[in-house]
Amino acid sequence: MSVVLETLNLQRSFGALMVTDNVSLSIPVGARHALIGPNGAGKTTLINLLTGVLSPSGGSVRLDGEDITGVGQAARVKRGIARTFQINSLFRNLTVLDTIALAVAERSGIGWSIWRPANSYRSVRDECMEILTRLGIADEALRQISELAYGKQRLVEIAVALGLRPRVLLLDEPAAGVPSMESGRILEVLAELPSDIAILMIEHDMDLVARFANRITVLVAGAVLTEGAPLEVMADERVRSVYLGEALHG
Amino acid sequence: MNPVSDLAASLISIGFYGISYAMILYVISVGLSITMGMMGFVNLAHGVFAMAGGFVLSICLARYGIPFPLALAAAFLSVSVASVALERGLYARFYGAGELTQVLFSIGLIYVAIALARLEFGTQAAPIMLPDYLKGQVKILGHDFPTYRLFVIVFGFAIAFALWIAIEKTRFGAFVRAAVDNRAMAQSIGIDTRRLFTLTFALGSGMAALGGALGADVLAPQWNYPLEHLVYFLIVVSVGGFGSLHGPFVAALLIGIADTLGKYWFPEFGAFLIYAATIGLLLWRPHGLFGACS
Amino acid sequence: MTAEARSAQAGYAGATRYRWYEAVPFIVAIGFYFAMPDYLSLGSRILIFVLFALSLDLVLGFGGIVTLGHSAFLGTGAYVAGFIGAYSPVSDPIIQLLGAVLAAGLVGFLTGCIILRTKGLTVIMLTLAFAAILLELANKASAITGGTDGLSGIQVAPIFGRFEFDLYGQTGYLYCLGVLLVAWYLVRRLVHSPFGTSLTGIRDNASRMHAIGAPVYWRLVAAYSISAAIAGAAGALLTQINQLVGLDVLGFEPSGEVVVMLILGGVGQIYGAFLGPAVFLVLQDALAKQFPEFWYLGIGIGLLFVVWYAPTGLIGLISRVARRWGRP
Ligand SMILES: Nc1ncnc2c1ncn2[C@@H]1O[C@H](COP(=O)(O)OP(=O)(O)OP(=O)(O)O)[C@@H](O)[C@H]1O
Ligand SMILES: [Mg+2]
């Protein structure tokens, strides 16, 4: 299958600390890829490099075979890369609907519209409601983000990313802090997404990983320890000792 | 006199006045830089402490005839102690708050302070009665220098050195550096950041008072001092870079000398040059000369 | 900070229709015209500062840009209107006003491009520095600006060729009210638009706005320029009402005071910008001359109080009371 997003020898350090160490990763169209690794392995940093929040100290990022290493955040979003944040990063003072509408509006190019009232864009509103319905939080549409329980906010995180209609979706521990009932819901929603969307999910919960992924990359101390099919990786002795051992305490 | 030695003479005198002005700016601003870097607090009211220092000095000298060195110490001590109360009672509540809240809070404090200053001291600048041994001129290598300015320079360097020792070589300094680097980390390794903040704040305010007292001869203590000199303190801090110790020192030197030079050679441009240079520098390095990029 | 008040009116599910209380400021202003004919010069000053505060609300309240140098644009507008009136044959007030708006908008755009690359305290510092530079320029270019004596000899023709500026300030007052009405309509549209919602998003969480692909920097530059243009209009009004421009329009005082007025009134909700200047200037008129110390003390304590207990300002307090009243 054709590769949509890939990295070549990607490197990033903070001072003396090598956080991304020669990572080469390739994500094909329609991927259901999990990225796992102990705390501080550099998973979030990798997403930051993929989305252009951070610039690498070496190596490159390619989208559709084209080098986008120097391309800014906004431009990458326009080209179809969307992400969620490990720690909710929403707009305290906005309603759930407006939060998602911001994303939908940017995608549909009306963010600069300065004269027409926002509420006259019925299509934007409808699309937001449709996404919220899919995630089962349509009832909360008019509530303010700050009034929402943390778990619900996690769903809004995902809803915002879906509002961008991405081709590549990068999820940073989407289920962290979500009650297990609702984390099942997240998987269902992901399963309903068009199959050609590539999804990279960081996740600590091996159960979820097993249900979601058809490929797993293990990151340890910034470097790829191994990559392969789920059963293969989970059977790997090194993975067991490095990752699963830690996960028991974590 | 020939033009070359004329130029040399004016350069020397510009350098001299510039450096003494710089030392005053440095001693006042260094505390602001540390509080900005460590607590992330946008304390526009920092100049209030400098003003207070100047007033304390003036009162001690003029009203009570206390000897100059003791008066300086009194300025430092009284303002640090008062600032502990302020920090505990007011500032601490706004540590996590947004920038706008902190700005408004500190502007509120400025207004209260200038109102009180005006009630107490009126609209006149407070007189500073220097002791005789600091008046007059000293002759060095054939040039006359005002004794007081010389004293300010020596004192300023001594303070800079003492601070450098305190921050680089002591346990307290290690804590301060850790907290500036990463507050959460510092907390997690068991540093009592609350106490550290209070201490640092008191030290920074005390320094401001010392600077205000020391510089009272140049920047006269008067009721609207905190507003009038605000921009200069901010320039020193942002050019130097928040949280840095030598940043404000270098920045103060640059600004002190450039400002003196500008006023001397291009009086028609006034402070224009300083502002333009500051803007240019911040465009080039948005975090200042020595600021940590985060 | 001002959540309830705003989300009720703006956004994608909000109501854009006008409510009765939105007319209150204008009804009060017209009432003032008839009831207080001797105080119209104070009245005009209030209207002008409402306009100025409204411009500030756009960047501070909605965009989250903390500025202490907004007088740069008030002053630019004031001087440009003055230059046109004093040095060119154009004495039509509307054209002078538009010239001031354009010039201030341009200065806002140019300085905004620089200022908005930075963050936090540096932003504040740069806004102060730009205002200080302009003040310095105006001071030194006394051949054109009149320096400390001020710029005088400004010709202002009757509005629309018909309504002459009279000694009692009646025309001036109504003129200010008219300009304010237009600006209020523009700002209200802007706040309710997708652009306005995205500004709120940037204020709340800029990094998330980056992550949804919004051109954060250019949005802020746009808001800053528009705000500067409106501030320029306020400056032009000052010039035309007084037929004199003094250096103090570029000083720190208007910058600082307008922030205080807006905060007292309530930031980020349009109508705070109406209430704040009115209360501030009326009190200032009554107190500041006789008891300057207590005036400053009062502002200081007022600010501390607002920061502490009432972050939504007077408007917030009023709507809280109204809500409690509304449901017994
Ligand atoms: N901006 C930064 N400056 C300095 N160090 C950083 C920065 N961001 C991350 N790090 C360090 O890089 C390392 C990797 O961080 P990262 O957040 O990528 O880990 P992670 O794999 O996502 O961990 P977790 O499972 O806890 O989310 C950590 O040691 C972290 O402290
Ligand atoms: Mg992470």
Side-chain angles (χ1 to χ4, degrees):
Chain A
M1 241 201 269
S2 69
V3 171
V4 51
L5 184 67
E6 65 180 333
T7 68
L8 287 174
N9 302 324
L10 205 60
Q11 292 178 327
R12 168 77 202 206
S13 48
F14 290 115
L17 183 68
M18 196 67 147
V19 181
T20 304
D21 189 359
N22 251 338
V23 172
S24 298
L25 193 69
S26 112
I27 300 172
V29 172
R32 294 294 180 266
H33 200 128
L35 182 63
I36 65 173
N39 290 118
K43 305 180 295 292
T44 300
T45 303
L46 188 60
I47 286 199
N48 286 337
L49 290 168
L50 291 174
T51 50
V53 175
L54 293 172
S55 46
S57 21
S60 62
V61 180
R62 286 159 181 249
L63 183 68
D64 304 320
E66 195 187 321
D67 193 326
I68 57 162
T69 316
V71 170
Q73 258 189 91
R76 293 189 199 198
V77 176
K78 291 268 177 296
R79 292 165 74 159
I81 304 179
R83 71 170 299 177
T84 66
F85 288 83
Q86 179 173 359
I87 294 168
N88 288 338
S89 173
L90 299 165
F91 310 98
R92 292 182 46 75
N93 293 327
L94 291 185
T95 60
V96 172
L97 182 83
D98 281 344
T99 302
I100 296 150
L102 280 176
V104 175
E106 291 304 333
R107 192 205 74 230
S108 36
I110 62 166
W112 276 108
S113 166
I114 210 163
W115 196 248
R116 238 178 97 178
N119 66 3
S120 71
Y121 290 90
R122 181 152 295 161
S123 61
V124 172
R125 197 161 65 220
D126 292 346
E127 185 176 338
C128 295
M129 288 313 295
E130 185 265 322
I131 295 170
L132 289 174
T133 309
R134 258 197 279 163
L135 284 159
I137 47 174
D139 292 347
E140 318 281 357
L142 295 182
R143 303 226 355 235
Q144 227 166 280
I145 296 286
S146 52
E147 298 170 358
L148 242 52
Y150 192 86
K152 290 259 166 70
Q153 291 189 23
R154 292 304 290 157
L155 296 177
V156 177
E157 269 286 334
I158 297 170
V160 171
L162 293 181
L164 296 170
R165 291 209 194 136
R167 294 187 296 137
V168 182
L169 181 57
L170 309 171
L171 302 168
D172 198 346
E173 304 194 21
V178 177
S180 56
M181 251 174 55
E182 283 171 42
S183 67
R185 172 111 216 147
I186 293 178
L187 283 191
E188 280 166 34
V189 170
L190 295 182
E192 285 163 14
L193 289 176
S195 61
D196 59 346
I197 293 183
I199 304 177
L200 177 71
M201 177 159 84
I202 298 176
E203 187 49 67
H204 280 297
D205 183 337
M206 293 312 282
D207 246 17
L208 284 184
V209 169
R211 282 159 65 194
F212 162 79
N214 49 28
R215 200 157 180 84
I216 298 179
T217 296
V218 185
L219 208 60
V220 175
V224 175
L225 179 72
T226 180
E227 188 187 321
L231 288 178
E232 227 177 280
V233 169
M234 287 184 193
D236 191 314
E237 268 312 309
R238 291 169 307 166
V239 177
R240 287 185 156 281
S241 65
V242 171
Y243 183 71
L244 298 182
E246 282 226 5
L248 289 180
H249 323 247
Chain B
M1 275 233 182
N2 64 43
V4 177
S5 68
D6 243 16
L7 179 71
S10 77
L11 273 182
I12 289 175
S13 110
I14 287 171
F16 183 76
Y17 277 96
I19 293 173
S20 66
Y21 182 35
M23 288 307 114
I24 294 166
L25 285 179
Y26 166 71
V27 177
I28 293 179
S29 310
V30 64
L32 180 57
S33 174
I34 305 270
T35 36
M36 267 304 300
M38 187 152 102
M39 296 89 143
F41 197 101
V42 184
N43 183 18
L44 299 185
H46 191 71
V48 168
F49 301 122
M51 172 180 74
F55 278 130
V56 172
L57 183 81
S58 166
I59 294 173
C60 288
L61 295 177
R63 244 181 246 174
Y64 301 109
I66 296 173
F68 186 77
L70 285 182
L72 272 187
F76 176 85
L77 284 178
S78 57
V79 173
S80 331
V81 169
S83 78
V84 168
L86 272 180
E87 197 268 349
R88 285 272 149 127
L90 297 174
Y91 280 89
R93 300 182 186 230
F94 296 105
Y95 278 153
E99 199 175 280
L100 178 61
T101 306
Q102 297 177 345
V103 164
L104 294 173
F105 163 73
S106 51
I107 293 183
L109 273 190
I110 292 182
Y111 275 117
V112 171
I114 65 180
L116 295 179
R118 212 173 137 149
L119 270 176
E120 181 64 31
F121 302 100
T123 50
Q124 300 284 312
I128 299 294
M129 298 183 183
L130 293 179
D132 287 335
Y133 56 87
L134 286 176
K135 288 181 188 159
Q137 312 268 322
V138 184
K139 209 174 188 71
I140 303 173
L141 300 173
H143 289 278
D144 279 332
F145 296 108
T147 314
Y148 187 69
R149 295 280 186 150
L150 200 62
F151 166 71
V152 167
I153 293 178
V154 172
F155 197 91
F157 273 93
I159 291 279
F161 184 71
L163 270 185
W164 178 72
I165 296 285
I167 299 288
E168 295 295 328
K169 308 285 176 205
T170 67
R171 220 170 117 78
F172 168 74
F175 286 176
V176 170
R177 276 179 291 135
V180 169
D181 266 1
N182 189 336
R183 198 182 335 162
M185 188 78 90
Q187 215 152 5
S188 69
I189 60 171
I191 297 177
D192 179 353
T193 49
R194 181 120 177 58
R195 234 184 77 196
L196 186 66
F197 282 4
T198 309
L199 274 176
T200 314
F201 191 86
L203 182 66
S205 316
M207 297 297 294
L210 202 55
L214 204 60
D217 205 36
V218 186
L219 312 175
Q222 42 139 341
W223 67 284
N224 67 349
Y225 183 111
L227 283 180
E228 195 169 325
H229 304 297
L230 175 62
V231 185
Y232 267 59
F233 304 151
L234 289 182
I235 287 180
V236 170
V237 172
S238 46
V239 166
F242 310 137
S244 145
L245 196 63
H246 41 278
F249 189 75
V250 175
L253 275 176
L254 284 175
I255 286 155
I257 293 174
D259 194 48
T260 312
L261 196 123
K263 285 191 175 131
Y264 201 86
W265 278 349
F266 316 100
E268 67 274 22
F269 286 108
F272 187 84
L273 286 176
I274 292 291
Y275 295 129
T278 302
I279 290 167
L281 190 127
L282 288 175
L283 268 182
W284 170 51
R285 293 184 72 107
H287 299 280
L289 290 172
F290 298 93
C293 300
S294 58
Chain C
M1 186 181 215
T2 54
E4 322 92 75
R6 194 182 32 256
S7 54
Q9 36 171 289
Y12 286 83
T16 349
R17 78 196 152 76
Y18 293 85
R19 304 190 186 227
W20 63 268
Y21 55 76
E22 297 186 82
V24 169
F26 297 99
I27 294 171
V28 170
I30 291 169
F32 184 89
Y33 176 80
F34 289 110
M36 308 274 216
D38 295 338
Y39 288 91
L40 289 185
S41 92
L42 173 64
S44 302
R45 197 175 159 73
I46 293 176
L47 293 176
I48 291 169
F49 267 87
V50 168
L51 185 59
F52 190 29
L54 195 59
S55 80
L56 183 72
D57 205 11
L58 205 52
V59 285
L60 187 74
F62 292 94
I65 306 166
V66 182
T67 165
L68 289 177
H70 225 47
S71 62
F73 311 119
L74 183 80
T76 302
Y79 273 106
V80 168
F83 293 155
I84 299 175
Y87 302 126
S88 87
V90 179
S91 58
D92 184 81
I94 307 291
I95 297 181
Q96 293 172 350
L97 178 72
L98 291 178
V101 165
L102 276 181
L106 185 67
V107 173
F109 174 76
L110 294 176
T111 57
C113 282
I114 294 175
I115 291 169
L116 298 168
R117 285 157 167 271
T118 63
K119 282 204 209 79
L121 185 61
T122 312
V123 172
I124 301 173
M125 226 271 332
L126 286 177
T127 59
L128 276 167
F130 274 115
I133 280 196
L134 286 180
L135 175 62
E136 204 67 35
L137 269 181
N139 187 17
K140 296 299 173 199
S142 54
I144 327 173
T145 61
T148 44
D149 296 337
L151 174 66
S152 53
I154 299 162
Q155 302 296 321
V156 186
I159 301 164
F160 304 132
R162 286 193 53 189
F163 307 103
E164 198 154 349
F165 285 88
D166 57 297
L167 275 178
Y168 307 101
Q170 293 178 333
T171 310
Y173 183 86
L174 293 177
Y175 172 54
C176 290
L177 188 58
V179 174
L180 177 61
L181 188 69
V182 172
W184 163 79
Y185 180 70
L186 295 179
V187 169
R188 193 178 182 281
R189 287 225 63 132
L190 196 150
V191 165
H192 286 254
S193 71
F195 177 85
T197 315
S198 82
L199 278 186
T200 310
I202 292 171
R203 187 203 59 197
D204 271 14
N205 189 345
S207 79
R208 186 53 186 237
M209 288 303 281
H210 281 294
I212 63 171
V216 171
Y217 171 70
W218 289 112
R219 287 277 157 79
L220 289 176
V221 169
Y224 198 71
S225 314
I226 296 171
S227 163
I230 298 174
L237 294 184
L238 269 184
T239 299
Q240 294 172 335
I241 296 292
N242 301 323
Q243 314 218 330
L244 181 83
V245 192
L247 282 176
D248 49 347
V249 280
L250 281 168
F252 176 76
E253 206 156 295
S255 299
E257 285 185 354
V258 75
V259 172
V260 174
M261 291 180 202
L262 180 61
I263 298 308
L264 290 180
V267 69
Q269 3 183 25
I270 299 185
Y271 298 98
F274 283 76
L275 195 54
V279 172
F280 185 98
L281 290 171
V282 166
L283 288 178
Q284 185 181 49
D285 192 63
L287 293 176
K289 290 272 149 36
Q290 290 115 306
F291 316 106
E293 295 84 6
F294 294 105
W295 166 242
Y296 285 121
L297 196 62
I299 310 179
I301 292 175
L303 259 184
L304 293 180
F305 176 83
V306 166
V307 171
W308 211 293
Y309 294 108
T312 47
L314 289 172
I315 281 281
L317 286 180
I318 290 176
S319 62
R320 220 183 293 170
V321 169
R323 228 174 302 141
R324 194 163 302 168
W325 219 45
R327 73 174 125 77

